Amino acid sequence: MKRLNLSIVGLLGLLLVVGMACGGGATAGESSGPPHSAAQPAAGTSAQASTGTTTPSPIVTGEGPRVIRTAQLGIEVRSGQFDSTLSRLIQLAGTEGGYVAASNAGSEATDRIRTGTVTFAIPVEHFQATVDELRSIGKLQSINISAQDVSQQYVDLQARLRNAEAQRDAMLALLGQAHSVSDIILIQNQLATITGQIEQLKGQIAYLDHATAYSTISVVLREAGVAPPPADEWGLRTSLLQGLHNFVSSVDGIVLVLATVGPYMLLVLLGFGVWRARRRPLSQ
């Protein structure tokens, strides 16, 4: 029985050493990337157009099987068209097979100009068409498009997942051969650790699958300011407003004087009434 326990512990240690070596070898072997990776652009390549530019730079997209594409656009619409344009953006997301991730709208406290932001996810194959449609909605103020190639990271996660699953299968085989309580506990602890690593790797792979299958587009929508009132060339409107202002100021002054002197006038009238009341019997 002791010989069996020693053999299980020895196999367990051998599996751990082999697993670590395989994991390090997979990472080192993949760090050089696929043969065509040298021709791929650097991650985070972006194209920008400054505010007010009517002809922004063309979209720059990364090459490779796994690319995360994002876009941020600033669009200005005419006064009174904010609500209809916001509804059009939300409808566009559904038309292109995507969904709205977040949206908000409000008014600036100073001039009551309405602004809002809509963020939605679009299938990567509809990314270009959606950006072109957004550029025609209103006046393009800014645009920023980026593409990040995560192919190497994706391949590395796949290799680590296969290695972890192989270790899990070996642990399960050892667990079937273990007879002592100590061996069973030792194998189960290692098995729980490897299972947690497998779930974590699957979650990271699932995130990259979604991030590369759906592009994120964020649109900042702003309503144009209201045109100022026409100038008062003859000065009549200005004179009327100034006269009304002076009249209100005069009324305010009279009310202030009455409120200040009023109590004293009441005291004077009250004293005069008492004086007359006392004087009347003497004159009779």
Side-chain angles (χ1 to χ4, degrees):
M1 181 64 68
K2 292 182 179 180
R3 182 176 299 175
L4 179 60
N5 294 341
L6 292 175
S7 63
I8 291 177
V9 174
L11 288 174
L12 181 59
L14 181 61
L15 282 173
L16 292 176
V17 173
V18 172
M20 293 176 61
C22 292
T27 305
E30 290 157 4
S31 61
S32 59
H36 62 278
S37 61
Q40 296 176 357
T45 304
S46 62
Q48 297 182 351
S50 58
T51 304
T53 302
T54 57
T55 57
S57 302
I59 297 174
V60 179
T61 57
E63 298 178 359
R66 298 289 171 178
V67 178
I68 299 177
R69 293 183 174 88
T70 58
Q72 298 85 32
L73 294 90
I75 299 176
E76 184 182 71
V77 296
R78 295 180 179 178
S79 178
Q81 295 184 356
F82 181 85
D83 292 331
S84 60
T85 306
L86 183 63
S87 300
R88 182 179 175 184
L89 290 178
I90 297 175
Q91 184 179 4
L92 178 63
T95 303
E96 296 295 339
Y99 60 91
V100 176
S103 65
N104 61 79
S107 300
E108 296 181 1
T110 54
D111 49 10
R112 308 297 296 175
I113 296 177
R114 302 195 63 186
T115 59
T117 303
V118 180
T119 302
F120 46 86
I122 296 295
V124 65
E125 59 270 16
H126 296 166
F127 180 76
Q128 180 70 60
T130 304
V131 172
D132 293 339
E133 180 68 19
L134 290 173
R135 290 169 57 181
S136 64
I137 285 181
K139 183 180 180 181
L140 185 64
Q141 297 292 319
S142 62
I143 181 170
N144 185 337
I145 301 175
S146 62
Q148 180 184 4
D149 191 348
V150 294
S151 302
Q152 181 177 339
Q153 181 182 356
Y154 190 83
V155 172
D156 178 68
L157 290 174
Q158 292 283 3
R160 291 169 57 188
L161 177 61
R162 290 192 298 267
N163 182 39
E165 290 175 342
Q167 292 185 41
R168 179 198 59 190
D169 296 339
M171 289 293 177
L172 291 175
L174 284 178
L175 186 61
Q177 299 176 6
H179 299 287
S180 66
V181 175
S182 60
D183 289 343
I184 293 175
I185 293 176
L186 179 61
I187 295 175
Q188 286 181 343
N189 290 337
Q190 296 295 332
L191 189 60
T193 302
I194 295 175
T195 303
Q197 295 176 357
I198 291 175
E199 295 301 323
Q200 184 179 7
L201 291 171
K202 287 183 176 179
Q204 294 178 6
I205 292 173
Y207 167 76
L208 290 182
D209 283 335
H210 184 272
T212 54
Y214 283 84
S215 303
T216 302
I217 300 177
S218 180
V219 180
V220 178
L221 195 64
R222 188 178 189 274
E223 189 178 31
V226 180
D232 188 11
E233 297 180 358
W234 294 91
L236 180 60
R237 179 173 174 270
T238 303
S239 300
L240 291 175
L241 291 177
Q242 185 65 35
L244 180 61
H245 180 269
N246 294 337
F247 173 75
V248 173
S249 299
S250 301
V251 173
D252 291 341
I254 294 174
V255 171
L256 180 62
V257 171
L258 291 178
T260 304
V261 182
Y264 299 101
M265 294 181 63
L266 291 176
L267 291 176
V268 171
L269 292 176
L270 181 61
F272 181 74
V274 172
W275 177 76
R276 292 195 60 180
R278 291 181 177 181
R279 186 180 178 184
R280 184 175 303 171
L282 296 177
S283 61
Q284 293 177 353

